[in-house]
Amino acid sequence: MSVQRNPFVDLYVTESISADTFVKVFSTALLDEADTLALYQPGNVILIGLQGSGKTALLNLLKPEVLIAYKRANVAWPLPERCARFISAGINLSKSGAMDFGQRPIEPNMASEDRRYALYFADFLNYWIVDDLLQSIETLTSATEEKISEFLGLKVSSEILDSFASDLAKNRCWLGALSAPENYSALREALDKRILEYRNFLNYNTDQLPASLKSTKTSVGEPISVTVELLRKHGILPEDLPVLIRIDQFEDLMGLEEVTDQKLRVEYRAVVYKMLGTRDSRLSYRVGARPYAVQQDFRMLGTSSVIEELRNYTIVDIDRILRRKEHSRGIFPKFVEDVFSKRLIEGGYEPPPNAKSLISYVFGKKPRPEDRARNYAKESVDGVIDREPNWPVDAAKFLNDLARSNPISAKLGEAWLRQKLRNKPTTDFDISKCEWESPKRKWWKKERIEQALLQIAAGRKQRMVWAGDADILSLSGGNILVFLSICQLIWAEHLRSGAVTTSEVPEIHSRILQDLGIQQASEYWYRKLRADPNGGDDRHRFVSVLAGELRVSLRDDKRMSYPGANGFSLSDRVAEKDTEVSLFLDLCTAYGALTVSRHTPKVSSRGQSKKWYLFPILSPYFQLPVAHTKEPVYSNADQIRKWLEKANITLQNINKINQRQKSIEAPVQQMSLPFDGVKKS
């Protein structure tokens, strides 16, 4: 059977597919982490992660349709027993119509900062989530063949539901909005009508907001809690069944707050924070958000009080979970291997039975440094060795001859010679012994391999090439969407090449095809930086300047004294003093332009520090090594301000934005430049 379809053509497949398909493509690898399992247990959770990190897929596992699909397919429910039972409801802010609140003033002549905007929004959330909770119960109890009611302990009948509906409608939490319904169906109709009234008004389908909405706005979260309480009272929900409320696409509220005539700062997000702040034991909230959308102050609506981590909520950071650990590979390789395999099978391919790693099978191993260097050097040694007039003749000749057979070793030998000659005008060692190849110099060599390859490629006016399983994983930066985009574009090049396609998984080992796809992916993610309206153009320019400076430093450092110059370090003391620089760098991290991690510098006087690198997928575009094998540039605030000035970025303007958009500190994942006066070898 011929398979022409690109199995990675839909990057966001887990957000739009049916529940039955979700069962086939969802990777359970993330559920091996204890932190992730907090999503399926009582307690408020804010799930943060960059775009494409897998937040929505994890939240979708909460949906009742997905549980039913697992049972129907006779596939084991992937959650462990301690967190396997729950009922969930919620709202996707970008799909529900909640974002329509930015389209129209709620009331004529209403002041732009009027808090009633947020109160109407809270009322809309209350009705939507209550309605969705009742819909979840109906969906689960109707799945009789899968015995979901028995699994969860749900008990419903017409009489019970009608009695529950009567009690709920009469409850004062609605402030008189719901007249006593005749039965449960009438209650559902009343809830749906309220939601429809909001949507019709916000979309200019009616001239005025119904008077009933103006006078019966409900309190933040109260109807949801009351509904859960009455569901338990009437025996519909067992007392021990957790109720988990999803609020996804939280970052979209930032755009709602920035609507021109509704400068509400953080009022819409403050509604959600107030829901978390109630610490209501009757239910738990799950908020899915990108890092930049979550505020440091966490102020609740209508008060100066803030919610506190571990008291009102816990953070589950999907980027931190997926990021490679200091002394281990982390779970990302296992995660992408699982996703890759499931995508191929769903696309109609038949994986080979004995392949230990499908990613390695398809893309092959990363080429050896020796082979990459020969590919850059081609048939000539011109440009491989940058000879100096004062070199000993025999040393220069040896390196030039070595470059013909082993250009990477010759380039490392050049750096070795330069370091030896730095303190001595002549050399008293035999360069033909190739000491840099000695096992005793294993780490010296390893730390400089990528810099040597960059210098060879630059000297030969060649573009660095990325290919193989290790490059694809490292460039993905722990982000599944980046990984899938790389696969999509490489596969597209494979299909475009005219390769004969069958149901057998292909071996796309061509370095040219892989590099073409990777370069396109890198360019795409770099362009994507500019697309964000919240300072994306500034970050786009900053990354360009930063990458250019770092590349020049690596290229021109002929002694290879600073092989870690593809990143920079800033001490905590400096960051605390220059909050403008610190906030800008935090935003770059929160928006996926940079990655950051903590480290302890070898220069103890600097104290605790953080180190920043380009987000890995950007490296091919700027022709920078992605490996972090040595300490980065020891930088300072003045140097970073020079980069900002060169990028035409005014921090005063950035700081104004930060007052509304302060991001939480992203979880943190060294070469010193001459201005710090630190010597290295």
Side-chain angles (χ1 to χ4, degrees):
M1 180 180 70
S2 177
V3 179
Q4 297 289 342
R5 179 177 176 271
N6 187 332
F8 306 100
V9 69
D10 186 355
L11 298 180
Y12 299 88
V13 66
T14 55
E15 296 185 15
S16 57
I17 56 174
S18 67
D20 291 334
T21 305
F22 183 91
V23 173
K24 298 177 182 178
V25 301
F26 175 71
S27 173
T28 61
L30 290 175
L31 302 181
D32 293 338
E33 291 290 314
D35 288 350
T36 306
L37 293 179
L39 283 168
Y40 311 102
Q41 301 176 78
N44 295 331
V45 174
I46 298 179
L47 175 66
I48 63 171
L50 296 173
Q51 179 188 12
S53 57
K55 302 185 301 298
T56 298
L58 289 172
L59 292 173
N60 281 347
L61 192 62
L62 292 163
K63 291 184 175 181
E65 297 85 359
V66 172
L67 171 59
I68 294 171
Y70 269 95
K71 296 289 186 180
R72 182 185 301 129
N74 199 28
V75 175
W77 186 226
L79 293 167
E81 185 176 353
R82 69 181 183 277
C83 54
R85 295 173 62 253
F86 53 79
I87 188 169
S88 170
I91 185 169
N92 184 305
L93 294 171
S94 67
K95 297 179 180 179
S96 62
M99 305 311 295
D100 293 346
F101 276 84
Q103 295 180 172
R104 184 178 185 181
I106 298 292
E107 298 180 25
N109 303 318
M110 190 172 176
S112 62
E113 72 279 4
D114 198 311
R115 187 164 286 135
R116 281 178 291 175
Y117 280 112
L119 295 177
Y120 281 112
F121 176 73
D123 187 57
F124 178 86
L125 290 188
N126 287 335
Y127 275 85
W128 181 284
I129 293 173
V130 168
D131 188 60
D132 197 60
L133 178 58
L134 299 182
Q135 180 60 54
S136 293
I137 293 172
E138 292 180 31
T139 299
L140 292 167
T141 54
S142 65
T144 53
E145 293 183 7
E146 291 76 23
K147 300 181 179 180
I148 301 295
S149 294
E150 180 180 331
F151 175 66
L152 298 178
L154 306 178
K155 295 180 180 179
V156 298
S157 67
S158 298
E159 294 76 11
I160 292 175
L161 289 175
D162 289 345
S163 177
F164 156 76
S166 177
D167 278 0
L168 181 60
K170 290 185 295 186
N171 193 280
R172 62 184 181 181
C173 71
W174 303 106
L175 300 176
L178 299 180
S179 58
E182 298 177 2
N183 49 41
Y184 173 79
S185 295
L187 171 67
R188 289 295 310 278
E189 290 176 5
L191 295 172
D192 289 340
K193 179 184 177 183
R194 180 87 166 198
I195 295 169
L196 186 60
E197 285 177 332
Y198 271 113
R199 299 204 64 183
N200 275 331
F201 173 76
L202 294 171
N203 285 283
Y204 290 88
N205 295 328
T206 57
D207 294 332
Q208 293 183 339
L209 190 73
S212 59
L213 270 63
K214 297 180 181 180
S215 59
T216 58
K217 296 184 290 295
T218 52
S219 298
V220 177
E222 184 182 5
I224 308 171
S225 299
V226 169
T227 300
V228 173
E229 180 182 338
L230 292 177
L231 286 169
R232 297 195 194 284
K233 176 183 175 182
H234 285 267
I236 299 171
L237 300 183
E239 290 292 334
D240 65 342
L241 185 69
V243 178
L244 310 179
I245 305 300
R246 311 179 310 275
I247 300 177
D248 197 11
Q249 305 295 321
F250 180 74
E251 64 276 357
D252 285 352
L253 295 181
M254 290 179 63
L256 194 58
E257 291 161 0
E258 291 300 311
V259 173
T260 304
D261 61 349
Q262 296 184 26
K263 294 295 185 181
L264 295 180
R265 297 183 301 280
V266 296
E267 293 299 295
Y268 287 112
R269 281 173 285 177
V271 168
V272 178
Y273 293 148
K274 192 166 186 179
M275 288 179 167
L276 302 180
T278 59
R279 287 194 295 163
D280 195 326
S281 61
R282 293 170 285 188
L283 50 80
S284 303
Y285 288 96
R286 275 88 185 89
V287 179
R290 297 184 192 175
Y292 56 79
V294 184
Q295 303 298 301
Q296 285 180 331
D297 56 14
F298 289 96
R299 183 180 56 79
M300 294 183 283
L301 180 69
T303 175
S304 60
S305 299
V306 299
I307 58 173
E308 302 173 21
E309 188 173 2
L310 300 183
R311 183 185 183 204
N312 302 109
Y313 67 95
T314 57
I315 290 281
V316 173
D317 188 333
I318 194 67
D319 297 317
R320 178 181 292 173
I321 291 171
L322 290 173
R323 187 174 294 118
R324 181 173 180 171
K325 306 298 188 295
E326 188 70 22
H327 301 294
S328 71
R329 300 180 69 195
I331 69 167
F332 186 68
K334 178 183 177 182
F335 178 41
V336 295
E337 192 71 53
D338 192 29
V339 171
F340 190 73
S341 174
K342 285 181 166 66
R343 284 295 191 99
L344 289 178
I345 294 171
E346 181 62 18
Y349 288 92
E350 299 173 5
N354 299 321
K356 185 177 180 180
S357 164
L358 266 181
I359 295 175
S360 297
Y361 177 85
V362 173
F363 300 119
K365 296 294 184 181
K366 179 178 179 177
R368 298 184 312 141
E370 292 81 2
D371 295 333
R372 293 160 66 194
R374 292 188 185 98
N375 185 54
Y376 299 151
K378 305 298 181 186
E379 301 298 326
S380 173
V381 297
D382 294 340
V384 174
I385 301 300
D386 191 5
R387 180 176 176 174
E388 299 291 343
N390 64 334
W391 281 3
V393 175
D394 58 339
K397 183 178 185 305
F398 177 81
L399 290 177
N400 200 58
D401 291 342
L402 181 60
R404 300 180 188 279
S405 60
N406 194 342
I408 186 70
S409 183
K411 196 65 181 177
L412 291 168
E414 176 191 338
W416 182 267
L417 176 62
R418 289 177 182 276
Q419 288 192 17
K420 288 292 184 181
L421 293 176
R422 178 177 55 184
N423 300 320
K424 298 179 181 179
T426 60
T427 178
D428 56 1
F429 68 94
D430 184 0
I431 195 170
S432 65
K433 292 181 179 180
C434 298
E435 293 181 58
W436 58 92
E437 297 287 359
S438 166
K440 295 181 180 180
R441 304 299 178 184
K442 173 183 176 182
W443 292 109
W444 185 95
K445 176 181 176 180
K446 181 178 179 180
E447 290 165 353
R448 289 160 176 80
I449 286 288
E450 294 300 324
Q451 186 176 9
L453 289 168
L454 181 154
Q455 291 185 5
I456 292 172
R460 293 288 301 140
K461 294 181 172 51
Q462 297 287 318
R463 190 179 69 179
M464 296 174 68
V465 173
W466 277 262
D469 53 357
D471 270 352
I472 290 172
L473 288 180
S474 62
L475 290 171
S476 298
N479 186 286
I480 188 64
L481 184 61
V482 175
F483 170 78
L484 291 174
S485 70
I486 293 172
C487 293
Q488 179 197 72
L489 292 166
I490 291 176
W491 213 280
E493 290 297 331
H494 168 68
L495 294 176
R496 213 165 6 245
S497 70
V500 177
T501 56
T502 68
S503 60
E504 295 181 358
V505 174
E507 297 179 77
I508 312 175
H509 290 185
S510 167
R511 297 179 188 177
I512 295 175
L513 292 182
Q514 288 190 39
D515 187 58
L516 280 172
I518 288 171
Q519 294 290 346
Q520 290 173 50
S522 184
E523 183 178 354
Y524 164 78
W525 285 98
Y526 177 53
R527 289 198 314 268
K528 195 171 176 62
L529 289 179
R530 175 178 284 172
D532 194 284
N534 299 302
D537 192 57
D538 286 333
R539 291 185 290 275
H540 186 270
R541 296 196 309 276
F542 177 73
V543 162
S544 179
V545 168
L546 173 64
E549 296 281 334
L550 294 177
R551 176 173 166 77
V552 167
S553 181
L554 280 172
R555 186 196 65 198
D556 294 349
D557 176 22
K558 301 299 183 182
R559 289 199 302 264
M560 299 189 194
S561 300
Y562 306 105
N566 57 338
F568 67 92
S569 168
L570 196 65
S571 72
D572 288 354
R573 288 194 299 268
V574 171
E576 289 167 3
K577 288 180 181 179
D578 197 327
T579 56
E580 289 182 335
V581 164
S582 180
L583 287 172
F584 178 76
L585 293 177
D586 282 347
L587 279 177
C588 285
T589 304
Y591 280 91
L594 303 177
T595 65
V596 61
S597 59
R598 287 205 163 275
H599 76 113
T600 302
K602 291 185 177 180
V603 180
S604 59
S605 61
R606 291 179 63 84
Q608 285 298 311
S609 303
K610 295 177 189 174
K611 51 185 178 180
W612 278 268
Y613 297 91
L614 293 186
F615 196 87
I617 190 57
L618 303 177
S619 294
Y621 183 86
F622 293 105
Q623 294 288 286
L624 269 177
V626 72
H628 307 159
T629 57
K630 190 69 173 175
E631 297 218 322
V633 175
Y634 286 165
S635 189
N636 57 39
D638 288 341
Q639 178 61 55
I640 294 171
R641 283 182 174 273
K642 289 179 182 177
W643 292 335
L644 289 164
E645 182 179 355
K646 190 173 181 179
N648 297 317
I649 296 173
T650 304
L651 280 180
Q652 287 79 2
N653 294 336
I654 296 294
N655 198 42
K656 290 177 183 177
I657 297 175
N658 287 337
Q659 299 310 310
R660 299 193 301 270
Q661 300 178 8
K662 290 179 182 177
S663 62
I664 63 170
E665 179 180 311
V668 284
Q669 321 195 325
Q670 257 176 99
M671 165 183 141
S672 174
L673 288 183
F675 50 73
D676 253 358
V678 181
K679 295 183 178 180
K680 286 183 171 286
S681 61

